[in-house]
Amino acid sequence: MLKIIFTPDKTDVNTPTGPDLAIMSDLKSLPMFMILSVLLIAISLNLAQCRRLTDDIDNEVSSNPAANIGFREPKEYVRISKPPVPVISKKVGAHVELHCEAMGSPPPTIQWFKRNMRITENESFETNVIDQSPGYAKVASRLVINYILPRHQDIYRCVAEAGAQVATAVTKLIVSNKEGREMNFTQLINAKILGAHHLPRVTFWANMLMDVIGSDVILPCKSVGNPKPNLIWIDPNGKVIENNERFAVLPDGELQIRAIESSD
């Protein structure tokens, strides 16, 4: 800023430094038009500086939140963090589990495909039913084959989806002694392979879920087994979760939590 100092007596003022300007002439000796000219210059400089400051503020603060400094629109993304083994070899009658993990935002789901045919039914699970805040999650899935047959030899794909984003990992299952070992439906029944009891296994779950306090979230849990498993949820204190105003175990095994808290 330009500072103008009028002094009636030039002997009382030391020569200024920096931006200050001292007019050390006797006011009576200066023509009035010169004094007015100097004042107009000073006013013009101050107005120009004010306009620059106003422009800077307008550039930094906008009525559109996306244009304000520090604001970032959430971006959808997903990646396979732990793919299944590239190749696995098993004999007829063996038990096999293919494991796959993914992370992303919004929280992803994982489906298994045998080539292009989907063989799992893991629905997309959505968080924040009310405020639509983008959550972040690490999820895992396992594909369970209790009794390997020659027909199971194929290419399997783990497909993770988060919003419109998709990531894929591939594994090849080889049946090493498949020649002449295929069985039809009647043979599977007679051999008690179909309908046999199998231990329960969780097939889709979230290892970690992050979201904003106060959001509504859903924690996924899918399972297989014969007979059909009963699912229960345990809270951080080791107690079985019962349905109440904040917690609800859904029919498909998912846990819905309303207005999450830091203690959750």
Side-chain angles (χ1 to χ4, degrees), residues 57-134:
I57 293 173
D58 289 341
N59 289 334
E60 292 179 2
V61 180
S62 169
S63 59
N64 178 11
N68 291 338
I69 294 176
F71 183 89
R72 295 291 184 272
E73 288 288 351
K75 294 183 178 180
E76 296 178 348
Y77 88 97
V78 66
R79 74 178 182 90
I80 302 291
S81 55
K82 188 176 180 181
V85 295
V87 180
I88 185 170
S89 179
K90 293 288 184 179
K91 294 183 178 181
V92 171
H95 175 97
V96 66
E97 296 184 3
L98 304 178
H99 186 85
C100 185
E101 295 183 12
M103 61 177 61
S105 177
T109 188
I110 294 177
Q111 304 285 359
W112 288 94
F113 287 76
K114 184 179 180 183
R115 292 195 181 268
N116 295 321
M117 182 179 67
R118 191 174 73 174
I119 53 178
T120 56
E121 296 294 337
N122 295 328
E123 300 88 353
S124 298
F125 75 99
E126 299 177 357
T127 61
N128 312 298
V129 176
I130 295 177
D131 61 14
Q132 298 299 316
S133 170

Side-chain angles (χ1 to χ4, degrees), residues 13 19 23-24 46 49 141 159 171 205 208 212 214 216 239:
V13 178
I23 300 176
M24 297 178 291
N46 285 331
Q49 186 175 15
S141 179
V159 179
T171 183
W205 68 99
M208 185 268 289
V212 180
D216 289 5
K239 296 181 180 180

Side-chain angles (χ1 to χ4, degrees), residues 163-257:
Q165 304 301 308
V166 178
T168 302
V170 176
T171 183
K172 183 177 182 180
L173 175 59
I174 298 174
V175 181
S176 58
N177 62 337
K178 65 177 181 177
E179 304 322 336
R181 302 292 301 273
E182 191 59 82
M183 303 175 70
N184 59 34
F185 183 80
T186 302
Q187 291 171 321
L188 292 173
I189 293 291
N190 293 336
K192 298 183 179 180
I193 296 173
L194 288 181
H197 285 201
H198 300 292
L199 294 176
R201 299 291 285 160
V202 176
T203 57
F204 181 56
W205 68 99
N207 290 318
M208 185 268 289
L209 175 67
M210 294 191 304
D211 216 316
V212 180
I213 289 178
S215 300
D216 289 5
V217 301
I218 294 178
L219 303 181
C221 185
K222 305 291 184 182
S223 65
V224 295
N226 190 24
K228 183 179 179 179
N230 293 320
L231 297 177
I232 62 172
W233 285 85
I234 308 294
D235 69 15
N237 298 318
K239 296 181 180 180
V240 175
I241 295 176
E242 303 288 347
N243 289 354
N244 54 40
E245 66 276 3
R246 290 193 60 236
F247 296 92
V249 179
L250 304 181
D252 58 358
E254 296 175 332
L255 177 65
Q256 183 182 52
I257 307 177

